[in-house]
Amino acid sequence: KDIRQVTLKSLRENLSIVLQDVFLFNGTIYDNIAYGGSNPTQEEVYEAAKIARADAFIREMPDGYQTAIGERGVRLSGGQKQRVAVASAIASERPLIVFDEPTSGLDLFHMRQVAEVVNRITEQGRTAVVVTHDPEFILRCCKFVIHMEHGKIQESYSLCEPEGRERLLRFFLNEMG
């Protein structure tokens, strides 16, 4: 669809965005996950947290906030915050999830975890669009590449074909050289 022809209401109903910098509000991680959805059930929130690997700290408060009895929130790593944002997008049950630099600042281990989650989302029949400068991440979870510059498509190709992988690697090697 031409994005200029889509209403804001339609976008809200069909699209979730996982931003590079995750902001968590004053509430439990559970509350943060549930907020992004369209009234998800408790089971749906827990399932989304499990898929995104955020279930281990789902009852915690984020750092910087306090519980009603004055307990301080837990400090979450960048990867953990990213998993909360991904869980929120999963719980939303929207068919399209856009990931904006989801591996920014993550180490290799956590990058692989995010790639695994993106793969699980697409296995559920949802569409994931990833904006990234990370070729290894692309190779782990993307099937199609679109190179854009200044808002215009420069080239596009499938990674399912051997020449697609070669084009991707050549692009990044040329950009670095």
Side-chain angles (χ1 to χ4, degrees):
K1 293 183 179 180
D2 183 337
I3 194 74
R4 296 170 295 192
Q5 305 298 320
V6 178
T7 66
L8 187 57
K9 181 178 188 251
S10 177
L11 278 176
R12 285 187 188 133
E13 292 170 349
N14 292 291
L15 171 72
S16 277
I17 299 176
V18 176
L19 297 172
Q20 177 178 352
D21 295 319
V22 177
F23 172 78
L24 301 177
F25 63 85
N26 187 11
T28 64
I29 299 304
Y30 175 96
D31 297 332
N32 277 269
I33 294 170
Y35 180 76
S38 50
N39 298 321
T41 66
Q42 182 174 355
E43 183 178 296
E44 290 168 335
V45 172
Y46 276 103
E47 181 61 23
K50 184 177 176 184
I51 290 169
R53 296 183 175 186
D55 53 326
F57 47 90
I58 195 167
R59 287 289 167 202
E60 301 288 343
M61 294 284 287
D63 187 36
Y65 299 110
Q66 295 181 359
T67 65
I69 58 172
E71 295 173 335
R72 299 231 6 110
V74 65
R75 180 174 299 273
L76 299 177
S77 70
Q80 288 172 318
K81 289 178 182 177
Q82 193 68 286
R83 293 197 305 262
V84 172
V86 170
S88 180
I90 292 169
S92 75
E93 296 191 345
R94 293 182 181 112
L96 174 61
I97 301 176
V98 175
F99 294 87
D100 177 25
E101 296 287 354
T103 60
S104 177
L106 300 184
D107 61 16
L108 180 62
F109 175 77
H110 291 101
M111 178 277 293
R112 288 177 176 165
Q113 285 187 329
V114 173
E116 182 182 308
V117 170
V118 171
N119 286 328
R120 290 176 79 181
I121 289 168
T122 58
E123 288 166 2
Q124 293 175 338
R126 295 164 84 179
T127 301
V129 174
V130 179
V131 178
T132 186
H133 296 90
D134 185 342
E136 185 170 354
F137 183 72
I138 294 168
L139 290 171
R140 288 187 176 277
C141 64
C142 297
K143 294 182 176 95
F144 195 81
V145 173
I146 299 173
H147 291 277
M148 294 184 72
E149 286 186 35
H150 309 291
K152 297 197 184 303
I153 295 175
Q154 300 299 314
E155 63 177 332
S156 60
Y157 49 87
S158 171
L159 290 174
C160 298
E161 304 295 325
E163 62 270 7
R165 297 174 64 86
E166 291 171 17
R167 285 174 76 175
L168 177 78
L169 295 175
R170 194 169 42 251
F171 172 82
F172 279 99
L173 288 174
N174 288 338
E175 289 296 309
M176 293 170 36

